[in-house]
Amino acid sequence: MGSNSMEGLPRTAVHFLLLIFCIASKCLAASGLNSTQMVTLKVDASPKLARKIPDIFLGVFFEEMGNGGAGGIWAELVSNRGFEAGGPNTPSNIDPWLIVGDDSSIFVETDRSSCFSRNIVALRMEVLCNDCPAGGVGIYNPGFWGMNIEDGKAYNLVMYVKSPKNTCLTVSLTSSDGLQNLASVNIIVAGKSKWIKVEKKLVAKGTNRTSRLQITSKKKGVVWFDQVSLMPADTYKGHGFRNGLVSMLLDLKPRFLRFPGGCFVEGGWLRNAFRWRQSIGPWEERPGHFGDCWQYWTDDGLGYFEFLQLSEDIGAAPIWVFNTGISYNDEVNTAIIAPFVKEILDSLEFARGSVNSTWGSVRAKMGHPKPFPVKYVAIGNEDCERKFYKGNYLKFYNAIREAYPDIQLISNCDGSSVPLDHPADIYDFHVYADAKTLFSMKNTFDKSPRSGPKAFVSEYAVWKTDAGRGTLLASLAEAAFLTGLEKNSDAVEMACHAPLFVNDDIEKKWNPDVIVFNTWQHYGTPSYWMQKIFRESSGATVHPTTISSGGGGSANSLAASAITWKDSENNSFLRVKIVNFESDAARVTISTTGLESSIDVLRSTATVLTSTNVMDENSFSNPNKVVPVKSQLFEAGAQMQVTLAPHSFTSFDLALAPSKFATLADV
């Protein structure tokens, strides 16, 4: 026994010291002592019953909804940069573009004169005034609810222009009312009939969170514009992603990225479904599309290639969810599904093919000659009950299995209680429920088959009233559900929360989301912080736990799991996670057997996620209202008594002294 171990200390001493810890970290309300539950949590840490959790166990799910991509993690600042959002028929709506000046000094309309064949709409601007105002007249774009322009930072402007006569344009970054000029550059457009590409760098001399990009002229004449882009120069790894939001993802240590949906994959109608071919190649040539499920336009700057790149950048395995010829309102008959199958085979060649292959060469031209390691694909999204799904599924399954036998194929049909009637490596399981229901589902996979396809819990969350805009209550139920997935990780391969991002400025939101942002800020909901406590579970070793009542206590309101894991310095820890779903404090005896190492109390900690009100939420004004609080344990051992706060999620990390102890990951 090491000198820092507390094994053998009197149980009363352990309880006293941990009680002090609880009070210091606000995890115990003084009024809760008389009504605490009396419960025993047994942890069997012996290697005999230990089991390795899949390395890919926990990840993130990105869907283009809530402007999580366009106006979110994709850092493009111009909304409707190609003037395509109004449709191909001209004249068309150019929202959110507006004019600088009035209709007596400027006339703007769309026409079909673009130099890009896949997105033919361009904007024609005619300056009518001979004696124009001092600041000129023109057009401006407010971006996605304003552009965040920061002092000293550089912004890369790219746009295509043409004019029959020599014209001088001024491109500026200004405040939303145009009165504050943050940066500007003059551009001379030579009088030619051909389109020219303009590239400039603007360096801001001030900060404004709701800025706009404006293009003005003082000279009478006509100018055409197309594909006007403004990107911050400092995106993550130079790949176009917003740094702060990527940082939030990295802190979760996701093992996979499921993309791009969700309903976004299906579309309300197939004509509006995400099509990967239309989302690759030079950004200027991408036609974009209207995501009719979530009712907004995206230029598809964040396309199939960028999703693969993001997966690589955050060290996550890509999970490509593709359309099976099925939308909410129309379906392709299995008899004519072959072109859709070919489209997906081409997408896999794009990701995995050699530089000499047809589609692999396109990927290489985009700057990524090395193949992307796509090992998982989901055949559709929530389509199991649709008329043609199973027929279409088998066409995709057989074609992909033949061409790429190593790819794990995911079915939309639930196999948790009834065996699937078709071949699959993994099956989808989605659940959105109130908090009480999701908490009660912690044992959902206890009796699921241990052979055959495993589950991918690819969408889970508390929603509606219990969720608010991201409540402590929601996170507790989700944590309890995850403890059950950990314990059943021989039947559950992967899991991820949904949705991931939401722009706080949009009027119609899906609540809750994991990460909330606006043009310049972001914060994690309690569900985000809950997931951070689970981030070491992937590849860890799970141990059996049992909860029993005694002395009038109840175990029904508790959920727990235990793992051993190693940090970056190869230090081993036994992590015991406990959710108290009740409004009373819970007094718990944690009894651990089978440890092959003593506990180093000086490196042992407890992390508590709780708040004064179970419906508390985080916000921009108080982003840390509900966040985990980490404290060093005063004492810790194989037998210890702890008091859990009402409505709390507590994680005890018991440091294991160096010994012959090894996790299954070492074997």
Side-chain angles (χ1 to χ4, degrees):
M1 184 181 297
S3 59
N4 290 327
S5 171
M6 61 160 290
E7 292 183 37
L9 283 178
R11 189 176 299 178
T12 53
V14 177
H15 172 65
F16 175 75
L17 290 170
L18 284 174
L19 189 59
I20 294 174
F21 153 74
C22 286
I23 294 172
S25 61
K26 299 181 180 179
C27 75
L28 177 62
S31 61
L33 279 171
N34 294 327
S35 58
T36 54
Q37 307 171 34
M38 300 296 293
V39 177
T40 298
L41 169 62
K42 293 183 179 180
V43 179
D44 186 342
S46 62
K48 182 179 179 180
L49 297 177
R51 187 182 69 251
K52 189 175 185 295
I53 297 173
D55 290 327
I56 200 169
F57 187 52
L58 295 178
V60 292
F61 165 44
F62 178 92
E63 178 166 8
E64 179 59 270
M65 61 183 291
N67 285 94
I73 197 169
W74 187 243
E76 173 64 64
L77 294 174
V78 178
S79 177
N80 189 19
R81 66 186 179 191
F83 308 100
E84 304 289 333
N89 297 319
T90 58
S92 58
N93 190 352
I94 62 172
D95 184 70
W97 291 90
L98 287 171
I99 61 172
V100 178
D102 57 37
D103 58 8
S104 67
S105 59
I106 187 169
F107 177 82
V108 297
E109 65 175 337
T110 53
D111 62 23
R112 297 162 64 91
S113 64
S114 173
C115 57
F116 301 110
S117 60
R118 290 201 297 174
N119 44 16
I120 60 174
V121 176
L123 184 73
R124 177 182 181 273
M125 181 180 84
E126 183 177 359
V127 177
L128 304 174
C129 49
N130 287 309
D131 186 18
C132 294
V137 297
I139 55 175
Y140 74 86
N141 187 290
F144 300 87
W145 300 279
M147 300 179 181
N148 178 39
I149 303 300
E150 298 183 337
D151 186 37
K153 290 192 175 182
Y155 299 85
N156 296 325
L157 170 75
V158 179
M159 65 179 184
Y160 290 77
V161 297
K162 73 172 183 177
S163 178
K165 297 181 179 179
N166 290 350
T167 301
C168 179
L169 301 174
T170 300
V171 180
S172 307
L173 298 178
T174 75
S175 57
S176 60
D177 57 8
L179 298 179
Q180 179 189 13
N181 192 310
L182 303 167
S184 63
V185 61
N186 291 324
I187 298 170
I188 302 298
V189 181
K192 296 180 180 179
S193 60
K194 293 183 178 180
W195 288 91
I196 61 171
K197 183 178 183 180
V198 174
E199 297 181 87
K200 295 290 182 179
K201 180 171 291 188
L202 289 84
V203 179
K205 297 180 180 179
T207 295
N208 190 295
R209 308 299 187 185
T210 56
S211 305
R212 71 189 197 188
L213 171 73
Q214 67 178 36
I215 308 171
T216 55
S217 175
K218 299 178 183 179
K219 182 179 179 181
K220 187 175 183 177
V222 178
V223 186
W224 280 264
F225 300 96
D226 200 7
Q227 299 301 329
V228 181
S229 170
L230 185 72
M231 291 280 277
D234 62 343
T235 61
Y236 188 72
K237 293 190 174 183
H239 291 154
F241 306 113
R242 182 168 156 180
N243 285 304
L245 298 184
V246 173
S247 177
M248 293 286 281
L249 296 185
L250 290 171
D251 282 348
L252 291 177
K253 298 182 179 178
R255 295 300 180 91
F256 64 82
L257 173 66
R258 179 179 184 248
F259 68 87
C263 304
F264 183 74
V265 168
E266 300 164 281
W269 296 90
L270 279 172
R271 62 177 175 266
N272 294 320
F274 177 80
R275 294 296 179 86
W276 77 271
R277 285 180 181 146
Q278 305 300 312
S279 74
I280 64 166
W283 61 266
E284 302 97 323
E285 298 177 12
R286 302 181 190 183
H289 78 288
F290 178 69
D292 58 355
C293 280
W294 305 116
Q295 295 294 301
Y296 63 90
W297 174 266
T298 170
D299 291 311
D300 286 334
L302 177 58
Y304 181 54
F305 174 86
E306 286 73 25
F307 282 117
L308 294 169
Q309 184 66 69
L310 178 61
S311 300
E312 181 178 274
D313 286 351
I314 65 175
I319 299 181
W320 163 220
V321 184
F322 60 77
N323 188 287
T324 58
I326 297 174
S327 76
Y328 280 162
N329 294 297
D330 55 344
E331 302 181 49
V332 175
N333 191 299
T334 301
I336 53 173
I337 197 65
F340 289 78
V341 175
K342 183 180 185 303
E343 181 182 29
I344 298 309
L345 290 175
D346 289 347
S347 77
L348 295 174
E349 182 179 279
F350 175 88
R352 296 181 33 149
S354 74
V355 295
N356 297 318
S357 65
T358 300
W359 288 103
S361 65
V362 177
R363 182 198 67 243
K365 289 177 182 177
M366 293 183 69
H368 203 287
K370 182 180 178 181
F372 290 106
V374 176
K375 298 290 182 66
Y376 299 85
V377 296
I379 304 176
N381 175 73
E382 296 182 347
D383 294 329
C384 184
E385 301 304 320
R386 303 303 296 276
K387 180 179 179 180
F388 293 110
Y389 177 71
K390 291 184 180 178
N392 292 1
Y393 172 91
L394 288 173
K395 294 290 187 180
F396 285 100
Y397 179 94
N398 291 331
I400 297 171
R401 179 62 84 219
E402 180 179 356
Y404 301 95
D406 63 315
I407 288 182
Q408 298 286 288
L409 301 170
I410 304 168
S411 168
N412 286 179
C413 301
D414 179 11
S416 61
S417 56
V418 178
L420 299 179
D421 61 1
H422 54 274
D425 300 302
I426 299 170
Y427 62 86
D428 261 331
F429 184 95
H430 293 184
V431 56
Y432 296 93
D434 62 81
K436 185 177 180 180
T437 299
L438 192 62
F439 180 89
S440 70
M441 291 180 68
K442 60 186 182 295
N443 301 319
T444 295
F445 293 94
D446 286 1
K447 296 182 180 180
S448 294
R450 263 50 187 174
S451 60
K454 296 179 69 175
F456 179 15
V457 183
S458 53
E459 297 183 30
Y460 73 88
V462 170
W463 69 341
K464 297 187 176 177
T465 303
D466 288 346
R469 298 192 64 186
T471 62
L472 171 64
L473 177 63
S475 71
L476 297 180
E478 292 161 359
F481 182 66
L482 278 183
T483 64
L485 300 189
E486 274 190 346
K487 291 190 288 186
N488 287 292
S489 55
D490 53 341
V492 178
E493 183 75 3
M494 298 177 284
C496 53
H497 192 284
L500 182 60
F501 289 117
V502 67
N503 189 318
D504 191 59
D505 289 308
I506 66 175
E507 293 182 7
K508 188 176 181 180
K509 304 178 180 68
W510 175 290
N511 288 319
D513 302 86
V514 178
I515 300 168
V516 183
F517 65 91
N518 58 22
T519 62
W520 63 286
Q521 298 168 294
H522 57 265
Y523 67 85
T525 62
S527 294
Y528 173 85
W529 296 105
M530 175 276 295
Q531 290 180 65
K532 280 195 69 173
I533 297 174
F534 277 90
R535 65 183 182 178
E536 282 80 23
S537 294
S538 299
T541 300
V542 65
H543 303 285
T545 57
T546 57
I547 302 174
S548 59
S549 302
S554 171
N556 294 333
S557 61
L558 300 181
S561 64
I563 63 169
T564 47
W565 64 282
K566 289 192 173 185
D567 65 13
S568 59
E569 297 179 353
N570 211 35
N571 297 309
S572 296
F573 295 86
L574 172 66
R575 174 172 291 175
V576 180
K577 299 187 290 290
I578 314 175
V579 177
N580 180 14
F581 201 60
E582 269 292 347
S583 56
D584 293 325
R587 187 172 296 162
V588 180
T589 297
I590 302 176
S591 176
T592 305
T593 59
L595 278 177
E596 295 188 345
S597 177
S598 58
I599 294 173
D600 182 353
V601 68
L602 293 182
R603 295 187 296 113
S604 296
T605 61
T607 302
V608 183
L609 180 67
T610 191
S611 191
T612 55
N613 188 311
V614 74
M615 298 303 291
D616 278 349
E617 304 173 350
N618 293 332
S619 62
F620 288 120
S621 60
N622 193 354
N624 297 318
K625 186 172 186 177
V626 187
V627 297
V629 176
K630 184 176 182 179
S631 302
Q632 182 179 340
L633 283 172
F634 293 107
E635 297 287 354
Q639 297 285 330
M640 62 189 209
Q641 291 182 351
V642 298
T643 304
L644 308 175
H647 291 132
S648 64
F649 176 34
T650 305
S651 174
F652 298 98
D653 270 317
L654 307 180
L656 302 177
S659 70
K660 62 181 180 181
F661 179 88
T663 66
L664 291 187
D666 300 319
V667 178

